[in-house]
Amino acid sequence: MNKRRAGGLWTFKEAKAPRFRDKFILLTLMIAGFLSMINLADWWFREEHVNNLILYILLTLIFWWGILRMLISWIGYLRISKPKAIPAPEGMSVAIFTTSSPGEPLSMFEKTLEACANIQYPHTTYLLDDTEDERFRKVAEKHGAVWLELVGLPGAKAGKVNAALKITSEDFILILDPDHIPFPEFLHHTLGYFKDENVGYVQVSQAYYNQYRSFTARAAAEQTYTFYGPTQMGMHGFNAAVAIGANCTFRRKALESIGGHGIGLAEDLVTAIRIHGKKWKTVYNPVIVSRGLVPEDFGSFCKQQLKWSRGVHEVLFAEVPALFSTLSFWQKLSYIAIGTYYINGLSLFTFLIIPFLFFWFNVLPANMYLVNFLIRWLPLAGFGTAIYLFVQRWMCDPATEKGLHWRGMILKFANWPVYLLGFLLSLINKKIPYIPTAKKAARGLSPFARPMMLHILIFLITVCFVVIYRLFYTPESVLSLTSEQTWGMIGFASIAFVMAVGALFAAFESSRLDAAEPWQKINVNDL
């Protein structure tokens, strides 16, 4: 295998294996963080802090569920592990499945199929096509792939995969998204682990080559760095690493044991939890052996997040209860943590409206001064940040992936209406269509930017109202008594305001992007 090529994004990358010294330092930081967590809890749960009981309970549940999720992630980091490399045996029967859908650019498939043909391990590539466009068959045949026309099947991508499983015979199947360009040695980093007959799938990292294109693209990529590094490595330590829908190599028997690839908006997660439920082992190998695309424009990213948030809640409400008794403790905890990730839409909305409830209706969930809260919260935030930065040594490409990932945080805040909508749709079991993530930027300002505009407008009106009211209509005696609380709330609301401005910038910036085809610049023969 040639692991050295031109450098940069197209160089083989892998996360480091954990060392005892690193785990000891990490444990020390976690103990300090846990003690600061206890100190915050001792202050938070005091009777004098309760103002509006219902709102206080709601705020407490949301705030402390977020703290608990952070603690769970810390514990997961202590189990960070990296599987030892195992050479791929000769003679394995391997298929690569990639799918095409109407509207996807033909030139992208030209590049992906060419790269698949260059994969060094013997295999057969299949293009599962429902475009009814003859050009896709020609491109497949040009690069030695088998073209399978699979039109009008239910289940979107998973439906095509299941149909292809019935008419193929390979023992191992790599499912590769069509926007990913695999490196020639891809299969050498997955197939060896299947020497263990109990391994159901092997997942490798996802990485991207178009993240330079816009603020949104960079932010979207930043949101994945920790997950594909220390988070998945920790889940691997508990035999709970999840399949991601791309770059995952499955054992056919594992897929057959669950009746085929899972169907749904989060079809990868459905497949993973069912395979874990059948007691298969799974492997996460933190290596970069392909690169793909992230959404480049704000609207496309929001649509992707709506699909994922709705799909993840399907797993939480349907799959987790059905398979609960068959999962290990840490598998249960992992899937619950993943399934509740998008509930942060409700969390962010709650934190967002607290200042406005105070300014407009004089309603407060808790009698807590901001300064007193910060005194207890900042130590926990500091240790949390230190742990977040420390575990970045286990990212797959730390030279380009390390940092505070502030763009990702802004985009996460910007999607609170999307996450909240996905959660509410889940509660009423409202279905939404499976739409492939856009491969090229869409011009124009997305309607998903409107909540940010409304938020900014309401904030500015509120601040003006507060300033005018306090200047001209508030007695001096009241001013002195309410000053700390009022300006503390203004400061609290200003954080969300800054995030909303950043989100609006992302939306406006990506609205002017040209619909480029970044894959055209890649010469797969140089990989």
Side-chain angles (χ1 to χ4, degrees), residues 193-240:
Y193 300 107
F194 289 108
K195 288 181 178 180
D196 184 343
E197 294 291 332
N198 295 314
V199 170
Y201 63 76
V202 179
Q203 177 70 59
V204 298
S205 178
Q206 285 199 51
Y208 314 99
Y209 64 89
N210 71 326
Q211 57 198 49
Y212 67 90
R213 283 272 296 156
S214 67
F215 184 100
T216 297
R218 181 60 184 270
E222 285 182 356
Q223 290 187 3
T224 69
Y225 294 154
T226 301
F227 179 77
Y228 291 128
T231 299
Q232 275 276 63
M233 291 174 71
M235 293 166 71
H236 169 75
F238 289 111
N239 189 38

Side-chain angles (χ1 to χ4, degrees), residues 491-504:
F492 181 65
S494 296
I495 298 172
F497 169 74
V498 171
M499 300 289 274
V501 171
L504 199 58

Side-chain angles (χ1 to χ4, degrees), residues 119 174 176 182-190 204 247 249 289-290:
I119 289 179
L174 164 62
L176 186 75
F183 297 0
E185 67 268 30
F186 189 113
L187 292 172
H188 285 88
H189 295 279
T190 63
V204 298
N247 297 349
T249 307
V289 285
S290 78

Side-chain angles (χ1 to χ4, degrees), residues 12-23:
F12 171 86
K13 304 285 177 63
E14 60 181 330
K16 295 179 180 178
R19 299 177 300 175
F20 174 80
R21 183 181 67 182
D22 294 331
K23 290 288 190 72

Side-chain angles (χ1 to χ4, degrees), residues 72 76 79-81 201-203 227 230-244 268-269 271-277 279-285 326-339:
I72 292 171
R79 289 298 298 269
I80 284 175
S81 63
Y201 63 76
V202 179
Q203 177 70 59
F227 179 77
T231 299
Q232 275 276 63
M233 291 174 71
M235 293 166 71
H236 169 75
F238 289 111
N239 189 38
V242 296
I244 308 170
D268 48 355
L269 204 58
T271 304
I273 192 173
R274 290 178 180 176
I275 287 177
H276 280 135
K279 304 301 183 182
W280 290 93
K281 293 181 182 177
T282 57
V283 174
Y284 180 69
N285 191 15
T326 66
L327 301 172
S328 71
F329 172 79
W330 283 105
Q331 287 171 345
K332 292 172 185 174
L333 196 60
S334 293
Y335 283 108
I336 290 173
I338 293 171

Side-chain angles (χ1 to χ4, degrees), residues 377-432:
W377 177 78
L378 283 176
L380 176 58
F383 286 116
T385 302
I387 291 170
Y388 183 80
L389 294 175
F390 186 81
V391 299
Q392 291 182 7
R393 66 192 56 233
W394 292 300
M395 286 180 171
C396 295
D397 187 9
T400 61
E401 295 176 354
K402 281 185 175 180
L404 289 174
H405 304 148
W406 57 273
R407 298 177 190 85
M409 288 188 284
I410 287 175
L411 211 59
K412 181 178 179 179
F413 172 84
N415 272 263
W416 73 258
V418 174
Y419 301 153
L420 182 58
L421 177 59
F423 177 65
L424 295 177
L425 291 175
S426 301
L427 292 180
I428 62 174
N429 199 28
K430 175 71 174 179
K431 303 297 182 183
I432 63 175

